[in-house]
Amino acid sequence: MPLLRPSPPPTAVEPRGVRWLAAVSLSALVLSVGTTLAGPSPADAAGACTPVPQPAIPEDLPYRTDFGTPQHLDCTTSNGGPIEFGDLAEPPATSRAVDTGVDVIAHWYQGFGLEATLTSGKWSGWYDWSWNAASNAATPGSRYGYDPARQPLLGNYRGDDPRVLGWIAHWLATGGVRAVAFTDTAGFTTDVWDRSSSSWVVEYFDNTPNAAALDYVLPIGTKGDAAEIRRRAAQLVEFYAARPGAYVERRTDGQRYAVVNAWDLEMLRGSFDNYNGSKRTEAFLVGLASWFRSTGKFDGVTVLGRNGGVLASSAASRLRDQHVNVHFATYEGKYASSATDYASYVASTDYDAIASRRNTVLGVFTSLDTAYPHPSKYALTGSTPDLFARQVRAAREAIVRNDLPRMLTVYNVSEWAEGGPGLVPNAQDGFGYLEAIRNQSPLP
């Protein structure tokens, strides 16, 4: 893949770097059942696959669902080796989302059915989906068991299958998503293109035609050696220059800023300045903007920063004068709240108060309710597509009222265990969460 080499940053920038955040034929949907080598799975050791009731999919919806047989129907577990997931039909060619006044950027972390899991030492239950097998019974006190809201219509899919990725991209774009943001705290790197093991990111960009229907946002790194962070930043800029579809912030003066995300901007400041001021971190970001400008395709860089800290507050105006926009942003989309359930959170969240910081990109979430055995402990119970639609509407209206950047981040696409049901259609809610986005009224 030819990549454009960016010019060196200005001499004021020290040699530092950046790293990366980084259809069903609607017959009976069937789940896999089985044992696992490790992990607290109470799945049956053997037995027939368990049919799962299908949601009613209205015929007037625009989403295609003729992908064939859902994947992984044979109830096998991996036992440390690869399994056969089955083939899907090719997804249809897909157009970009219609502009509704606010661009939806969906956080996409693909964690299930990846063959890379088998060589990483991670629990094989994330690979073969046995954590959500239909025969699982909840362990007392654990909140673990089968959940149809966490069961994709695609079945227990292979996460690095280009056809799986193509169907997901088709549904996201059809549902109104403008861009997808990739997440990995290590930072984006093109090194993965040189590895022998499969990478779902490589499969997405190189072998998934429907990737062209969605813009992309890649992450700069925030933790670790500054020289390595900077090396990966150079690769990221090369990638943006060479690959069409980079998401940009269009400023009122007509300039186009390449948009990247950062897992933790205070962590980035620690990597460059050891939390003693922000001089070197600012120099790095100014150099990053210079790299983007040197490509001739962008006029600067916009950073969507989780834990924005100094860089998104006191340093933001200085950076803005040097072609760097730093926005307060979130990953999980949740703001400080005493709510213990999803409905209370939606009813009590004051987006106008959050918007008092003008350089804020608001975020929302489909669900934040962790399923055992995932170690995260989100416990905001009771999410539904209707409540999600209310949350999206409230955030979009606050964006317009407060003249915020016309971007809205959404957690999540497919973090089935950690977050719960996402934008990908599931066996309980169908396309409900995507419809909550698609049915929003256009904004001025």
Side-chain angles (χ1 to χ4, degrees):
M1 175 187 65
L3 294 175
L4 179 62
R5 177 72 58 187
S7 301
T11 55
V13 179
E14 298 194 3
R16 307 292 193 213
V18 175
R19 71 193 268 209
W20 97 309
L21 277 165
V24 64
S25 57
L26 292 174
S27 54
L29 182 63
V30 185
L31 300 182
S32 67
V33 179
T35 57
T36 57
L37 290 178
S41 172
D44 291 342
C49 295
T50 306
V52 176
Q54 287 292 309
I57 306 295
E59 294 183 359
D60 59 347
L61 294 186
Y63 314 97
R64 289 271 297 274
T65 57
D66 52 335
F67 55 75
T69 302
Q71 287 195 320
H72 191 194
L73 298 181
D74 60 4
C75 303
T76 57
T77 52
S78 71
N79 293 318
I83 60 176
E84 179 58 48
F85 282 83
D87 293 326
L88 299 177
E90 288 286 351
T94 303
S95 301
R96 288 180 175 273
V98 175
D99 184 7
T100 60
V102 173
D103 290 341
V104 172
I105 303 171
H107 289 295
W108 192 356
Y109 178 83
Q110 192 85 328
F112 298 107
L114 303 178
E115 291 199 3
T117 300
L118 300 178
T119 58
S120 68
K122 295 179 180 178
W123 178 46
S124 61
W126 302 133
Y127 169 66
D128 61 26
W129 294 77
S130 53
W131 66 274
N132 195 41
S135 62
N136 287 351
T139 301
S142 73
R143 300 185 64 247
Y144 174 73
Y146 172 71
D147 182 355
R150 302 172 196 263
Q151 171 64 57
L153 284 185
L154 285 172
N156 300 317
Y157 56 68
R158 200 188 99 205
D160 50 15
D161 181 343
R163 293 187 181 182
V164 168
L165 301 174
W167 279 103
I168 292 175
H170 160 66
W171 290 329
L172 293 178
T174 303
V177 173
R178 173 63 184 272
V180 287
F182 298 93
T183 302
D184 191 318
T185 56
F188 177 78
T189 175
T190 53
D191 294 350
V192 293
W193 267 260
D194 298 325
R195 296 175 186 168
S196 58
S197 60
S198 62
S199 164
W200 81 269
V201 175
V202 174
E203 295 296 337
Y204 178 79
F205 280 108
D206 278 3
N207 299 315
T208 305
N210 276 343
L214 296 163
D215 288 347
Y216 62 84
V217 175
L218 299 180
I220 61 172
T222 57
K223 180 181 180 181
D225 178 69
E228 174 63 10
I229 291 174
R230 188 172 185 272
R231 182 186 77 87
R232 293 188 177 211
Q235 292 184 340
L236 180 147
V237 173
E238 291 178 348
F239 193 92
Y240 273 59
R243 294 276 181 151
Y247 180 69
V248 297
E249 181 179 17
R250 292 169 174 81
R251 291 160 42 104
T252 55
D253 59 6
Q255 292 194 327
R256 303 170 72 254
Y257 277 33
V259 178
V260 301
N261 56 18
W263 178 252
D264 190 317
L265 284 179
E266 279 295 279
M267 186 182 290
L268 179 67
R269 191 168 67 89
S271 297
F272 280 89
D273 288 286
N274 197 28
Y275 301 105
N276 182 19
S278 59
K279 181 178 179 180
R280 292 174 176 173
T281 315
E282 290 181 48
F284 164 70
L285 293 174
V286 171
L288 182 64
S290 178
W291 285 2
F292 273 115
R293 285 164 58 82
S294 73
T295 69
K297 296 185 176 183
F298 308 101
D299 300 299
V301 64
T302 290
V303 181
L304 306 184
R306 179 178 172 271
N307 193 20
V310 170
L311 295 168
S313 53
S314 59
S317 60
R318 294 192 298 271
L319 290 167
R320 195 176 303 117
D321 293 337
Q322 300 184 76
H323 309 283
V324 180
N325 282 342
V326 180
H327 295 320
F328 288 98
T330 72
Y331 178 69
E332 67 279 359
K334 182 179 180 294
Y335 299 97
S337 172
S338 60
T340 58
D341 62 84
Y342 194 99
S344 298
Y345 176 84
V346 172
S348 62
T349 300
D350 184 351
Y351 287 103
D352 289 315
I354 298 164
S356 62
R357 299 182 300 195
R358 296 301 185 195
N359 59 323
T360 293
V361 171
L362 292 181
V364 296
F365 56 93
T366 56
S367 176
L368 277 175
D369 187 15
T370 302
Y372 185 83
H374 196 284
S376 291
K377 299 190 182 298
Y378 295 126
L380 212 58
T381 59
S383 63
T384 68
D386 287 343
L387 288 171
F388 176 59
R390 287 176 52 189
Q391 187 186 176
V392 171
R393 182 165 56 252
R396 280 165 46 93
E397 291 172 351
I399 289 170
V400 174
R401 279 194 305 271
N402 295 279
D403 196 26
L404 295 184
R406 292 296 185 100
M407 295 176 261
L408 178 67
T409 64
V410 176
Y411 174 90
N412 69 83
V413 172
S414 56
E415 296 192 38
W416 301 98
E418 182 172 16
L423 295 176
V424 175
N426 66 66
Q428 175 176 288
D429 307 298
F431 291 91
Y433 288 97
L434 275 176
E435 283 293 272
I437 293 174
R438 190 178 72 89
N439 289 332
Q440 296 289 325
S441 301
L443 295 173

